[in-house]
Structures are given as structure tokens and as C-alpha cells.
């Protein structure tokens, strides 16, 4: 599903690819990052039903980019000066909220300062689902009615490659350019951040319940898969890139450069854990309740969830394997033909000021990509300012590894193998 411009596959291949990705997509929506998070459940936040309307659109995954690599096709007239507004689509529970008024304090402060109103919608529940909503309009060179969107790095890479996002103006992004942390400064899919800036970083770590492990630390994939004392109480994620990526690292392979044989070796390693019943199950965000109760003694987890769990249960711990961990990001992009590009760039830059960045990080608890935020975050919550899951130190940042961008053929093959592994 990645490289659309390389030509349309045969009808059979296209159907198989769509089926493989549809299954992966349903996993994500029902149990992966697209599912309601623990924070969503605690706060009973309204995000709307998780629609599957994008699935049908994926059957057209052979659609090439309109205009090929002609980036001028993405440029639009900018009405920012006349229309002081910006339309921002984001993930659910990804913005600071005033629990009494249900308003967004940092966005309100932005409007008060700039006079730019923000129409904010938490309508992104899954990368593929969202892509299904917007791909036809983008292909046709039409405005999708959004000035700013937030998608995960592999989807951002796809949109950039298709020519469906606009190049950012660095003169409108002084804080973003100066304060972006080194870890996220120049990804392979967007060198120098010409088209995107990260909203948050996502770290995949190992979490464990100290009570359930008898006080023992769990800090490697090998321990998860081989320790007999953990048998039947181990969890892995239903998201392929996280589970396979962490296993590749444990096998001494680079997730940014692995081969088909490396992938197969990782699947075989995990299959052994399934067959021996070492692995209890593959989960999405729902691992949090099992981990908190001790039904899962240890699992592969997302750092943002761990921070939230630790606030209520000090027995929940985390570990970074010596070989490293998988790091990804959710990223801000201006879609092709957006009406308010300059206003969107001003909003991006605003969240790279330490104050607004700290306000956001204190609420969502994911990795903050902004340098110089610690002092501001400490004013709000010293424990959060000291958490390396939110503000990675140099040692932790050095252990971060991205999962490489996949071709359309790889996406199909790898998702089919992974679905078979986890019984999806």
C-alpha cells in the first residue's frame, strides 16, 4: 500500500493487498492505536464511533499520485491574511482539555494571541481509515477541508511521496526550526523536515508489573519469550511495526535496514512463543488493564500508556532493552490545496514554544519533541519533567530505532504473515 506511483498491480494482487491491509486496519481500529486509550475510557471522552468507511476506498490502492512528483500541484492560494482561521484534524485524546469547560486551553491561548480561530476536530482514529477518507479528493487535486493534519510517520511518508502535502515555509517556523530535538530532526522519509514536524514521539518499550514478576525486572524481548516464570503472562502488540521491530532488534537486526529473511526470522521467533504458550496474547491498548491487574506480568507497550498507568499503580515499571527500542512519531502536515497554509504554520510553530509544548506534554504524556521544555514542564508536574518517557535523555534517545518504510509488495506480504502469526 505504500508506493502507489509505481504502477497498478494485477487485479488478483491488488485484491490480496487490500485484504491484507484491511485486516491490519481492522486490528488497529479494534485493538491497536486506533482503539480507545485508557485515558479515553477513564474520561469517557467523546470521539465519535470508529467508522470503517475508509476500508472500501483502500480497494483503489493502485491510484497513482495526481501529477506524479510535480510538487507544484500541491500548492494552493493562501487565504490566511483574509481568513483568520485554521482547520486542524488530530487523533482522539491528543490535545490538552479543560475538564470543566471541555475547551482546549492551549488552542484558546493561541487564538487570543494571534486572532486566528482554530476549528479543532479529533477525527483521526486510524491512519488507513483517515487515508481512505481523504485520498480521492487529494488524488483529484481538491481541498480536503483541512489545513493541518496529524498522521504517523509511515503515513506521512506516503503522503509526501504522493505529492499530496505542501512544503513548509521555514520563515514561518522559527521556534520549530530552533527547538526540534535532534532525535526527530531529519527522518529518512522527510530529510530536514521540509514537509512535516512531529506532534509527539511514540516510544515502544517493555512494561512489567513488579508484583506479578515477584519483584524481578523484565528488560528484553528474549526474557519475554524465554523466561519460564513469565509463561502465559506475556503480551505483544497487535501492531506489526512495534512487535516485529522490537523482535528484530533483539535478533541483532536493524529495523531500518532489515531483509525479507530477517523479517521471517522475527516471525519464527515469535511463532515459537505462540506455540509454547509463552505469549498470552497480542493486544492493542487493552493490555493496560491486564498489566495493571497482573494478568500480564510483562509486555511490549507504548510509553505514553505506561506514564498514565504509573500515576495510579506504582508497581507498573518500564525498561528499555540494551539493544534499543522502536521509535516513531505522529506528524503535522499541511495538505495539498489547503486554504490557510500560513495560519497552519503559525500553529505548528506555536507548539514548539516551551510553554505550549509543556502544557500539551503534561496532558498527553507522550514524547515531547521540543528542546528546552523541561523547566516549563516542571512548573506543571515535576514527576513528568523527570520522566525519560516524555523527555528522553541522551542515552535513551541514542537507543531509538525507526522501522523502515515499506513498499506496496512488502506491506502486503508482511501483513499477511503477521496476521497469520497473531491469528487475525
Amino acid at each position: 500500500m505504500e508506493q502507489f506511483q509505481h504502477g497498478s498491480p494485477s487485479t488478483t494482487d491488488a485484491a490480496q493487498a487490500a485484504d491484507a491491509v484491511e485486516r491490519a486496519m481492522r486490528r488497529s481500529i479494534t485493538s491497536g492505536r486506533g482503539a480507545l486509550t485508557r485515558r479515553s475510557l477513564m474520561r469517557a471522552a467523546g470521539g465519535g464511533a470508529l467508522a470503517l468507511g475508509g476500508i472500501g476506498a483502500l480497494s483503489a490502492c493502485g491510484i497513482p499520485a495526481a501529477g506524479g512528483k510535480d510538487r507544484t500541484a500541491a500548492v494552493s492560494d493562501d487565504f490566511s491574511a483574509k481568513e483568520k482561521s485554521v482547520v486542524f484534524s488530530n487523533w482522539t485524546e491528543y490535545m490538552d482539555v479543560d475538564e470543566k469547560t471541555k475547551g482546549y486551553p492551549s488552542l484558546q491561548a493561541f487564538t487570543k494571541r494571534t486572532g486566528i480561530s482554530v476549528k479543532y476536530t479529533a477525527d483521526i482514529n486510524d491512519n488507513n481509515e483517515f487515508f481512505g477518507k481523504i485520498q480521492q479528493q487529494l488524488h483529484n487535486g481538491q481541498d480536503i477541508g483541512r489545513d493541518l493534519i496529524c498522521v504517523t510517520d509511515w503515513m506521512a511518508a506516503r503522503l509526501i511521496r504522493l505529492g499530496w502535502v505542501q512544503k513548509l515555509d521555514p520563515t514561518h517556523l522559527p521556534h520549530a526550526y530552533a527547538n526540534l530535538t535532534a532525535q526527530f530532526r531529519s527522518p529518512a522519509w522527510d530529510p530536514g523536515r521540509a514537509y512535516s514536524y512531529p506532534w509527539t514521539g511514540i516510544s515502544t518499550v517493555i512494561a512489567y508489573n513488579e508484583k506479578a514478576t515477584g519483584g524481578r525486572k523484565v528488560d528484553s524481548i528474549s526474557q519475554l519469550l524465554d523466561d519460564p516464570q513469565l509463561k502465559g503472562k506475556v503480551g505483544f502488540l497487535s501492531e506489526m511495526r512495534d512487535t516485529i521491530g522490537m523482535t528484530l532488534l533483539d535478533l541483532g537486526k536493524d529495523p531500518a535496514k532489515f531483509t525479507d529473511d530477517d523479517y521471517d526470522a522475527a516471525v519464527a521467533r515469535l511463532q515459537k512463543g505462540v506455540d509454547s504458550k509463552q505469549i498470552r496474547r497480542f493486544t492493542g491498548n487493552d493490555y493496560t488493564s491486564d498489566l495493571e491487574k497482573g494478568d500480564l506480568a510483562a509486555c511490549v507497550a507504548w510509553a505514553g500508556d505506561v506514564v498514565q498507568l504509573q500515576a495510579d499503580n506504582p508497581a507498573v515499571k518500564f525498561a528499555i532493552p540494551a539493544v534499543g527500542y522502536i521509535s516513531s512519531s505522529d506528524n503535522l502536515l499541511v495538505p495539498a490545496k489547503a486554504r490557510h497554509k500560513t495560519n497552519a504554520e503559525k500553529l505548528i510553530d506555536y507548539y514548539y514554544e516551551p510553554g505550549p509544548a509543556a502544557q500539551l506534554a503534561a496532558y498527553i504524556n507522550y514524547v515531547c519533541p521540543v528542546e528546552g521544555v523541561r523547566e516549563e514542564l516542571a512548573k506543571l508536574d515535576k514527576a513528568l519533567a523527570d520522566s525519560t518517557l516524555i523527555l528522553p535523555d541522551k542515552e535513551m534517545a541514542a537507543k531509538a530505532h525507526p522501522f523502515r518504510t515499506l513498499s506496496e509488495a512488502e506491506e502486503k506480504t508482511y501483513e499477511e504473515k503477521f496476521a497469520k502469526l497473531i491469528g487475525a
Side-chain angles (χ1 to χ4, degrees):
M1 288 296 301
E2 295 282 327
Q3 297 179 339
F4 294 173
Q5 71 271 33
H6 287 180
S8 300
S10 68
T11 303
T12 301
D13 288 346
Q16 290 175 341
D19 179 65
V21 179
E22 177 178 329
R23 280 182 279 131
M25 178 175 156
R26 288 185 183 276
R27 287 201 307 274
S28 185
I29 294 173
T30 57
S31 63
R33 286 191 61 231
L36 289 176
T37 64
R38 178 173 179 271
R39 171 171 278 170
S40 302
L41 294 173
M42 287 193 299
R43 299 185 177 180
L50 299 181
L52 293 175
I55 290 178
L58 287 173
S59 63
C61 66
I63 293 176
K69 293 185 178 180
D70 178 12
R71 300 295 180 181
T72 61
V75 179
S76 60
D77 293 332
D78 192 348
F79 296 90
S80 292
K82 295 181 179 179
E83 300 174 4
K84 305 293 283 185
S85 64
V86 61
V87 182
F88 183 7
S89 280
N90 203 353
W91 295 75
T92 56
E93 294 300 305
Y94 235 17
M95 181 64 73
D96 55 299
V97 177
D98 184 315
E99 295 301 326
K100 293 182 179 179
T101 66
K102 302 304 179 183
Y104 306 107
S106 63
L107 286 177
Q108 291 167 346
F110 171 79
T111 298
K112 184 176 181 180
R113 182 201 296 184
T114 65
I116 299 171
S117 64
V118 182
K119 181 181 178 181
Y120 182 80
T121 308
D123 62 347
I124 302 179
N125 299 302
D126 174 85
N127 286 289
N128 277 318
E129 176 199 356
F130 185 66
F131 182 78
K133 290 179 181 178
I134 65 176
Q135 70 163 344
Q136 194 62 53
Q137 288 172 282
L138 290 171
H139 170 68
N140 292 337
Q142 299 171 343
D143 176 16
I144 63 170
R146 299 166 174 88
D147 303 303
L148 195 62
I149 61 174
C150 182
V151 294
T152 307
D153 46 18
W154 58 270
M155 180 59 73
R158 179 189 295 179
L159 293 172
I160 292 169
R161 185 169 54 249
L162 289 168
W164 289 351
V165 294
Q166 298 193 51
K167 193 170 186 178
L168 301 174
D169 185 342
T171 65
H172 296 157
L173 298 159
H175 295 98
Y177 181 82
N179 296 336
L180 178 60
T181 58
Q183 180 180 350
F184 299 104
R185 190 162 285 276
S186 191
W189 48 269
D190 186 17
R193 289 290 180 181
Y195 295 91
S196 69
Y197 269 91
W199 179 247
T200 61
I202 305 166
S203 301
T204 305
V205 300
I206 293 177
Y208 60 98
N209 185 316
E210 206 170 37
K211 290 183 178 179
T213 65
R216 294 182 308 120
K217 183 179 183 179
V218 181
D219 61 2
S220 72
I221 297 297
S222 289
Q223 190 175 356
L224 288 179
L225 291 173
D226 299 331
D227 187 341
Q229 295 185 54
L230 298 177
K231 185 172 183 177
K233 290 191 172 185
V234 168
F236 279 80
L237 291 169
S238 58
E239 293 290 328
M240 182 266 285
R241 287 167 177 82
D242 296 292
T243 287
I244 295 295
M246 292 290 279
T247 306
L248 284 167
L249 283 169
D250 193 68
L251 291 171
K253 304 298 181 180
D254 185 349
K257 300 177 182 178
F258 67 89
T259 65
D260 287 349
D261 287 343
D262 296 334
Y263 186 92
D264 289 344
V267 170
R269 181 89 168 91
L270 290 161
Q271 187 65 59
K272 182 179 178 182
V274 171
D275 295 341
S276 67
K277 302 191 184 306
Q278 179 79 6
I279 297 174
R280 183 185 184 94
R281 65 191 184 103
F282 293 86
T283 74
N285 284 104
D286 51 328
Y287 69 81
T288 56
S289 59
D290 285 348
L291 181 64
E292 193 168 33
K293 291 183 295 185
D295 290 342
L296 283 177
C299 61
V300 176
W302 289 303
D305 293 337
V306 177
V307 176
Q308 295 172 36
L309 286 171
Q310 288 179 324
D312 300 326
N313 187 347
V316 174
K317 308 291 184 182
F318 79 94
I320 303 297
V323 294
Y325 64 98
I326 293 295
S327 175
S328 57
S329 59
D330 282 335
N331 306 272
L332 300 172
L333 303 100
V334 178
K337 303 301 180 181
R339 288 180 63 87
H340 310 107
K341 178 175 180 284
T342 298
N343 291 344
E345 290 166 336
K346 289 180 179 180
L347 185 57
I348 294 172
D349 197 60
Y350 169 74
Y351 280 104
Y352 274 82
E353 297 178 27
Q359 191 171 351
L360 179 68
Y363 190 88
I364 67 175
N365 298 162
Y366 276 83
V367 175
C368 180
V370 181
E371 288 281 6
V373 77
R374 186 180 303 278
E375 184 177 339
E376 293 296 323
L377 188 55
K379 294 177 184 178
L380 301 174
D381 191 321
K382 188 177 185 304
L384 294 181
D386 292 336
S387 173
T388 56
L389 295 182
I390 296 176
L391 298 178
D393 55 22
K394 289 184 179 180
E395 181 181 0
M396 182 170 175
K399 292 184 176 181
H401 295 269
F403 193 96
R404 71 173 173 82
T405 301
L406 303 179
S407 69
E408 181 180 345
E410 287 174 328
E411 182 83 17
K412 169 198 164 187
T413 301
Y414 292 168
E415 284 291 3
E416 285 179 344
K417 290 179 179 180
F418 189 69
K420 183 178 180 181
L421 168 72
I422 70 174

